[in-house]
Amino acid sequence: MWIGIDDTDSPAGMCTTYIGAILVQQLEHAGMRILDTRLVRLNPNVIHKTRGNAAIAIEAEGDTEAAFALACTCVEALAEFGAAGTNPGVVVSRIRPPQDFYYAALRDFCTVDEAIGVLDSVGARYRGYKNRRGLIGATAAIASEFPDRTYELLVYRKRERWGTLRQVDARSLFCAEEETYPHTWDTVDRENNVVVCAPHTPDPVLFGIRGESPAAVREARSHVRSEEPACEQVYTTNQGTDAHLVPGTAGKLREGRSYLVRGTVAKPPVTGPGGHVSLLLADDGEEVRCMAYEPTKGFRDVVRELVPGDMVAVTGSYKGGSLNLEKLGISRLADALRIRPPICPACAKRMTSAGTRKGYKCRVCGARSREPEVERVERLLRPGWYEVPPTARRHLARPLVRGVPVWEESMRQSNRE
Ligand code: ATP
């Protein structure tokens, strides 16, 4: 059977993955066998999310009625029912709902009625609390398929410590990363010297290690020194897989979806207030504005180096009329030209503009020239993929350390054209 849970936390506390970890213990205690535990990230652009729009699914062998009762008791005991935006959902089904519903919740928007329709169609047991919104995520979690998958080992705090400062030795986290990278990632951000894997929110999570296998995350975890944890759980996840992306075309992007878009840089990138960098791409007469916000740190320097004519592919979510960049792939670099007034052949001084369409004039000897000096500027960028740093990475975004994006073939294609 599949058990799904979602929407149990609030910004003030709790975490659905913690309830999942506790439920796993209780199911095992009741004699049920756990086959898989999944942390399923859904559309990162839904407005109702508390943090990372995660839901959980547990695959187990045992009695569905007993499992449903245990799951509901767990949620009723632990969920943040007092918070206005917390609307838990619990589902248990012997038959997995169609994967279409997972993809809809991952890449698009769904309604509670749609979730209930899906649950009824497979004869699932379900309970939606308050406005029942959590049924969407819970249903999508048990419908999930992971053609690509990663793992996260989550370590939870003892209850009496919730809300207090986390005691996790930063040096041991850097050591864990050093010892196990590239088989684990995003434990720390070495470039920006920041710990990434420990939240600052008052929830039960102490830290989480992400990696390519259960063995890799366990190995990294063994290096970490911290306060005594309450329990731990390894989840199979769709994090770091780019599962949220669909191919998109400039001019046809829909709000709240995440895309891979190709285009040509239309204008020099502009750095705006707060250090946000804006990039205009054009494709087939349509334009799309892309943004690299301040938290993407050094990634903005890559964007700033682009010049009109560069051919690129970008990934990110389309929100508020612009695409928030997660990755940037450069397939072809244009020539960057610097156009300046020429040097006067007589005085060896740089001429100045003689006025619009009047060419150039030497201020010293009065000599005139019509032709500017055109210099080819050396490009600092190289074709290839660039990404935001771990501190700014979205849960679903595939880190480049996992290999080149699946579109590399088509990037090569455009290089050959
Ligand atoms: P939690 O740890 O509780 O899961 P979270 O940041 O993951 O926190 P939720 O509290 O689960 O966010 O809130 C997300 C809400 O949005 C849930 O009720 C979920 O069912 C719903 N939801 C998820 N994906 C979609 C979607 N694609 N369309 C509409 N609603 C969605």
Side-chain angles (χ1 to χ4, degrees):
M1 75 186 129
W2 285 85
I3 306 160
I5 300 179
D6 195 17
D7 207 341
T8 62
D9 63 4
S10 79
M14 196 36 61
C15 174
T16 305
T17 71
Y18 174 75
I19 296 186
I22 298 298
L23 181 58
V24 163
Q25 291 172 11
Q26 296 191 356
L27 294 168
E28 279 176 336
H29 192 250
M32 300 189 208
R33 199 154 81 94
I34 306 298
L35 304 174
D36 195 9
T37 47
R38 289 189 168 191
L39 194 183
V40 185
R41 297 282 175 185
L42 300 169
N43 188 343
N45 306 307
V46 305
I47 51 167
H48 304 295
K49 68 176 183 175
T50 310
R51 283 179 280 268
N53 201 7
I56 67 114
I58 300 168
E59 186 184 11
E61 277 174 359
D63 177 57
T64 47
E65 280 309 313
F68 184 68
L70 278 175
C72 290
T73 308
C74 229
V75 166
E76 284 160 22
L78 292 167
E80 292 267 302
F81 278 96
T86 301
N87 301 284
V90 176
V91 305
V92 176
S93 180
R94 284 239 172 255
I95 302 169
R96 282 179 75 186
Q99 287 155 2
D100 295 2
F101 191 77
Y102 161 64
Y103 283 110
L106 172 69
R107 297 173 176 169
D108 214 320
F109 298 92
C110 307
T111 63
V112 173
D113 286 345
E114 285 167 343
I116 288 173
V118 165
L119 291 168
D120 287 340
S121 75
V122 293
R125 283 284 269 133
Y126 57 90
R127 186 169 297 161
Y129 298 85
K130 297 167 70 183
N131 77 11
R132 310 195 290 178
R133 190 180 292 121
L135 286 176
I136 300 171
T139 307
I142 65 165
S144 66
E145 64 153 2
F146 293 170
D148 183 18
R149 61 190 63 197
T150 64
Y151 296 84
E152 178 156 5
L153 185 157
L154 279 152
V155 178
Y156 298 101
R157 315 185 73 190
K158 287 182 180 277
R159 189 178 266 269
E160 62 270 21
R161 289 198 181 250
W162 294 357
T164 65
L165 198 67
R166 287 173 174 80
Q167 305 293 329
V168 186
D169 179 40
R171 269 173 314 175
S172 71
L173 293 173
F174 277 85
C175 165
E177 167 105 354
E178 234 157 70
E179 293 292 325
T180 57
Y181 184 89
H183 307 296
T184 68
W185 50 83
D186 291 1
T187 301
V188 296
D189 182 335
R190 284 188 268 192
E191 194 183 314
N192 296 299
N193 199 26
V194 180
V195 167
V196 180
C197 70
H200 301 286
T201 41
D203 58 84
V205 174
L206 184 56
F207 61 88
I209 306 278
R210 296 174 179 194
E212 68 182 19
S213 67
V217 294
R218 286 201 177 98
E219 156 73 10
R221 191 266 170 274
S222 71
H223 294 277
V224 183
R225 288 189 302 275
S226 70
E227 66 187 48
E228 202 188 323
C231 58
E232 309 188 4
Q233 181 66 49
V234 176
Y235 281 102
T236 312
T237 92
N238 59 353
Q239 292 171 166
T241 65
D242 274 347
H244 59 318
L245 303 179
V246 294
T249 313
K252 296 199 183 95
L253 306 184
R254 290 158 70 208
E255 185 70 17
R257 279 76 170 176
S258 307
Y259 293 101
L260 161 74
V261 184
R262 291 172 202 287
T264 304
V265 175
K267 288 185 184 163
V270 177
T271 302
H276 309 312
V277 180
S278 153
L279 170 73
L280 198 65
L281 295 188
D283 182 34
D284 210 11
E286 299 282 356
E287 288 185 337
V288 56
R289 180 165 304 287
C290 306
M291 295 299 299
Y293 287 103
E294 191 281 331
T296 65
K297 304 288 175 199
F299 176 73
R300 293 171 302 161
D301 297 334
V302 176
V303 179
R304 285 191 192 102
E305 286 294 326
L306 293 168
V307 303
D310 285 343
M311 287 170 61
V312 299
V314 292
T315 67
S317 292
Y318 190 65
K319 276 181 94 174
S322 55
L323 194 110
N324 298 342
L325 293 174
E326 292 169 9
K327 276 194 284 281
L328 163 73
I330 303 171
S331 59
R332 190 151 60 191
L333 289 167
D335 285 337
L337 303 177
R338 179 153 48 163
I339 297 168
R340 295 194 289 178
I343 303 283
C344 173
C347 315
K349 290 270 185 291
R350 194 167 292 283
M351 293 181 163
T352 54
S353 169
T356 316
R357 282 191 227 103
K358 285 188 182 149
Y360 305 94
K361 188 177 172 187
C362 177
R363 279 209 197 145
V364 184
C365 70
R368 285 181 169 271
S369 169
R370 293 218 70 82
E371 297 306 317
E373 178 187 288
V374 179
E375 192 192 350
R376 213 180 184 171
V377 181
E378 201 209 328
R379 301 295 306 272
L380 300 175
L381 291 176
R382 292 287 166 263
W385 283 93
Y386 298 83
E387 63 186 348
V388 302
T391 44
R393 198 188 325 274
R394 295 198 120 163
H395 299 294
L396 280 161
R398 178 176 155 128
L400 291 176
V401 66
R402 297 201 63 228
V404 286
V406 285
W407 321 287
E408 187 67 357
E409 251 323 297
S410 47
M411 298 276 294
R412 277 200 209 106
Q413 197 77 32
S414 75
N415 255 336
R416 277 198 295 266
E417 278 164 9

